[in-house]
Amino acid sequence: MPEPSQDLYRTEQAPLSTRPDKAARNNASDPDDKHVLDRFKIREICEGWPTYRDGADWENFRSMFHDDAYIATSWNQGPIDEFIEASKDAFAKQNEGMFYILHRVTGQTVDVQGNRAFSKMKVTITCRATIDGKEMDNEADCRFFFLLEKREGIWGVVFYTLLFDKDKMVPVNPTVGGFNVPENLVECYPSGYRYLCWLEARAGRPPKLDLNAHGPERDILYGKCKDWLEGKDSKMSRTLPGHPQVFTAEHQQFDVFLQDELLTKTLNSMAPHLWKMSIQSSANITHLHTHFIKGRHIIAAEDPCLHLVWHHDRISLKPLPKYLVSHDFWRLFLNPSTSPPNLSPSISKVALGLLCTYGYMIRHESHFTLAQHITPPLLPSDITWEQWCTFLRTFRTAIHDTDVSSPYASYGELRLTRLNFYIRFLLGKAQYAEAGHRQYATYFAQFYAPLLFVFGLASVALSTMQAELAVDILVGSSINRSTSSRNNSSRQNREVLRTWHGTWLLARWVSVVALGGAGGLAVCFYALFLFKYVSGWVFALKTRSGKRVPDDETFARMINDKINY
């Protein structure tokens, strides 16, 4: 249980930069009462939340919102219509352990600027639940935030969320004892609503954990309210950062998009055999500038299976998506306790793997600057070196490569030629990826060098044998002409042999040396290939048996249930 001396409920004034300076909010800022009617209408709309929802008056409750409204509570996040259906379901299951929820409004303010407004409402939420056969009330003091817009003369809510100040557990019958709250489980939740979080998790609804009025999310939310009044950020993070066409509330489509963006399905199928093709170590991921030293061209590839795959003078790198450098994205969607239930659990580990590879490649500010100025850039252009370091500091927990569920984070850079070779035997596919053979000429050009080499060796061998045979035939022909002469004698035969003997010896030895040299060259190349092949397998087997030395600079080890959100 937290020590009483710990200031869990620190309350300070929000930064002045988050305060709207042109909004009308009370008599002091709206002395002429030009916006008093709008403020009254907005207040009436927002007070419909406790009135209509607590009474299950769903038709009137729905009339408070525009069609694209988004709701973010501790127990449910989604479009307004999905929230209403979830609320109906919760009302219907109150006898099955779901909470009976009521709201008490204690105060409200309204800020209006043009056709936009936001309202802050002080509310106490009471949730009645039965725990171990005893009725208990959770009372949570909180602040509701309504963002509204006037469309075609009608005000309506487009976004709702809340922050929790404090909560407590109260027995309905004080005389009934024997119930103890498990503080060791409660203390891990945010201070503003830790008992409510425990109740929701106990009921099978993982709570949203970034609604603490005493955390950094308070100033973030205040800033977003100001941005809303000034016409910015109209989507209010309902879309994926960097992909405005992807709505996070559409969970099924959102999950499919992230799987296409991050999962390396083909590479995962080959993962058990990647030790045959590369070193199982993050040390196999070189610094970004090293690729330029090696004369490689960096190719931006959106296909995650091509990330860190190199071929001759080029290497493919997947640009780091903007959403992977967003604290909100990691906290809301990659945290197992808050992510949507139908989101693939492997996505968070694969996303961590991709982020880790950039941690290895970008170690210095020069690497960071280089990554942002490559065309197209590998990192979002709107982050600074200090922000990058601060963001990565969250993940510096020193774990091994094997804890990251991502082949390219565990094996580093992979050679395309080896992938194309092994995939024929492992998966029965023709190739892993195109190696640049877009035309017949470039496809057949890859065979020119080995074919010319073999052809040259064969030509040398045949030429030497032909020269040897030609000399033997020439000498034999000369002796036959001499023998057929009428004045033939042994002395003349010897003269003929003496005349061609030197040429015959020279031709024979030249043929032997040429033939031996060609054969020796072929044997040397074969022996070199065999040596490198065997050496590679010996090293791979040693690595496989665990004899490699781990990389001392590894920083991105992370276990999913220990992420420091």
Side-chain angles (χ1 to χ4, degrees):
M1 182 176 180
E3 295 294 332
S5 61
Q6 291 182 343
D7 191 356
L8 300 179
Y9 308 104
R10 179 184 297 273
T11 302
E12 298 176 344
Q13 181 178 349
L16 295 179
S17 60
T18 64
R19 178 179 296 180
D21 52 4
K22 297 180 180 179
R25 70 179 56 87
N26 51 38
N27 291 336
S29 60
D30 188 19
D32 298 329
D33 294 334
K34 291 190 300 183
H35 300 283
V36 66
L37 184 58
D38 285 328
R39 300 205 321 265
F40 177 80
K41 288 182 177 179
I42 291 169
R43 180 165 184 166
E44 185 181 39
I45 290 172
C46 296
E47 287 179 350
W49 182 286
T51 304
Y52 298 139
R53 189 191 179 281
D54 290 357
D57 189 353
W58 302 119
E59 183 178 351
N60 282 323
F61 182 73
R62 178 63 177 83
S63 68
M64 296 169 47
F65 303 90
H66 286 306
D67 290 341
D68 60 341
Y70 187 86
I71 310 299
T73 67
S74 62
W75 64 277
N76 182 275
Q77 302 87 44
I80 177 59
D81 293 320
E82 290 185 10
F83 176 77
I84 290 176
E85 291 303 317
S87 298
K88 290 180 180 179
D89 184 64
F91 269 73
K93 294 181 178 179
Q94 285 180 3
N95 293 331
E96 302 175 19
M98 295 304 294
F99 310 141
Y100 176 49
I101 301 175
L102 294 176
H103 303 78
R104 293 195 302 268
V105 178
T106 58
Q108 186 175 0
T109 64
V110 177
D111 286 38
V112 180
Q113 185 171 331
N115 64 343
R116 290 190 172 188
F118 79 83
S119 174
K120 289 182 288 184
M121 179 186 291
K122 289 287 292 179
V123 179
T124 297
I125 304 176
T126 61
C127 299
R128 179 159 296 184
T130 301
I131 304 173
D132 298 337
K134 303 176 180 66
E135 281 191 319
M136 304 288 292
D137 276 348
N138 172 266
E139 291 193 355
D141 294 322
C142 55
R143 318 174 203 178
F144 282 10
F145 290 78
F146 298 89
L147 274 64
L148 303 95
E149 189 171 28
K150 193 175 187 179
R151 301 176 182 174
E152 299 180 357
I154 300 175
W155 285 101
V157 178
V158 296
F159 181 77
Y160 160 87
T161 191
L162 73 165
L163 296 176
F164 290 90
D165 290 292
K166 63 180 178 65
D167 73 331
K168 62 182 178 180
M169 297 293 295
V170 180
V172 175
N173 184 354
T175 63
V176 176
F179 175 78
N180 293 315
V181 177
E183 292 292 343
N184 60 323
L185 300 178
V186 171
E187 65 183 6
C188 67
Y189 293 112
S191 61
Y193 59 122
R194 58 181 185 266
Y195 295 104
L196 178 61
C197 288
W198 172 72
L199 281 176
E200 290 180 352
R202 188 175 181 274
R205 289 185 177 273
K208 181 177 170 64
L209 297 178
D210 61 340
L211 302 176
N212 189 10
H214 311 287
E217 53 264 48
R218 185 202 66 167
D219 294 345
I220 293 174
L221 182 56
Y222 275 43
K224 287 184 176 181
C225 290
K226 178 184 178 182
D227 289 341
W228 170 256
L229 291 183
E230 295 176 351
K232 305 174 185 176
D233 196 20
S234 61
K235 294 296 183 182
M236 288 301 297
S237 301
R238 288 177 289 153
T239 60
L240 191 64
H243 296 272
Q245 79 282 10
V246 180
F247 287 84
T248 57
E250 299 174 356
H251 293 160
Q252 184 174 358
Q253 293 83 350
F254 181 53
D255 180 60
V256 171
F257 176 83
L258 290 181
Q259 290 191 43
D260 292 340
E261 275 278 295
L262 300 175
L263 295 190
T264 55
K265 297 179 181 178
T266 302
L267 202 58
N268 288 342
S269 300
M270 301 176 67
H273 304 277
L274 287 180
W275 62 274
K276 306 172 185 176
M277 312 174 210
S278 184
I279 304 172
Q280 189 174 0
S281 171
S282 58
N284 198 31
I285 302 177
T286 57
H287 295 177
L288 188 61
H289 75 281
T290 308
H291 299 301
F292 292 94
I293 296 176
K294 293 180 178 180
R296 289 176 177 172
H297 300 285
I298 295 179
I299 308 298
E302 294 296 343
D303 185 353
C305 285
L306 294 180
H307 184 59
L308 291 176
V309 174
W310 64 276
H311 179 66
H312 296 317
D313 61 345
R314 66 180 186 268
I315 184 169
S316 298
L317 299 176
K318 179 177 175 61
L320 192 65
K322 192 172 184 178
Y323 53 84
L324 285 189
V325 292
S326 167
H327 283 283
D328 288 340
F329 179 80
W330 282 90
R331 182 171 59 249
L332 299 178
F333 299 105
L334 299 185
N335 182 350
S337 63
T338 59
S339 62
N342 59 341
L343 194 66
S344 176
S346 59
I347 288 179
S348 59
K349 291 185 178 181
V350 176
L352 175 62
L354 179 59
L355 185 64
C356 286
T357 63
Y358 274 90
Y360 300 132
M361 288 191 292
I362 300 175
R363 304 288 184 88
H364 305 284
E365 188 173 1
S366 59
H367 302 155
F368 177 82
T369 303
L370 187 62
Q372 286 190 323
H373 288 82
I374 294 175
T375 304
L378 297 177
L379 291 179
S381 58
D382 57 349
I383 61 174
T384 65
W385 168 244
E386 290 74 17
Q387 290 173 329
W388 172 256
C389 294
T390 301
F391 179 75
L392 288 186
R393 194 176 299 122
T394 306
F395 304 100
R396 291 181 184 272
T397 51
I399 64 174
H400 294 113
D401 306 334
T402 52
D403 295 319
V404 178
S405 177
S406 179
Y408 44 63
S410 300
Y411 289 90
E413 298 165 14
L414 298 169
R415 188 180 301 179
L416 180 58
T417 51
R418 291 185 179 178
L419 292 172
N420 282 340
F421 175 78
Y422 281 100
I423 199 171
R424 298 185 180 97
F425 307 101
L426 300 177
L427 303 182
K429 295 183 178 180
Q431 61 183 7
Y432 181 81
E434 286 280 353
H437 309 312
R438 291 292 184 180
Q439 299 178 351
Y440 286 126
T442 56
Y443 176 76
F444 286 106
Q446 64 179 324
F447 303 113
Y448 291 166
L451 288 177
L452 288 175
F453 179 75
V454 173
F455 178 76
L457 291 179
S459 298
V460 170
L462 292 175
S463 297
T464 54
M465 290 187 291
Q466 185 178 11
E468 171 64 21
L469 292 174
V471 171
D472 287 341
I473 293 174
L474 179 62
V475 173
S477 176
S478 299
I479 293 176
N480 289 336
R481 286 197 302 271
S482 175
T483 303
S484 62
S485 174
R486 292 181 179 180
N487 301 322
N488 178 45
S489 65
S490 297
R491 182 179 180 181
Q492 289 176 329
N493 288 341
R494 288 194 296 272
E495 288 294 332
V496 171
L497 290 175
R498 190 182 302 112
T499 302
W500 290 99
H501 182 69
T503 303
W504 177 77
L505 286 177
L506 178 63
R508 169 160 289 186
W509 281 109
V510 168
S511 299
V512 170
V513 170
L515 187 61
L521 185 62
V523 170
C524 287
F525 272 110
Y526 179 76
L528 179 61
F529 169 78
L530 192 62
F531 171 76
K532 293 181 71 66
Y533 184 79
V534 173
S535 298
W537 270 97
V538 170
F539 180 80
L541 291 173
K542 286 183 178 180
T543 303
R544 185 70 170 173
S545 63
K547 295 181 179 179
R548 68 178 178 90
V549 178
D551 177 25
D552 293 333
E553 297 182 3
T554 300
F555 73 88
R557 182 174 182 172
M558 183 173 297
I559 300 176
N560 217 22
D561 58 353
K562 295 184 180 179
I563 296 178
N564 180 17
Y565 290 97

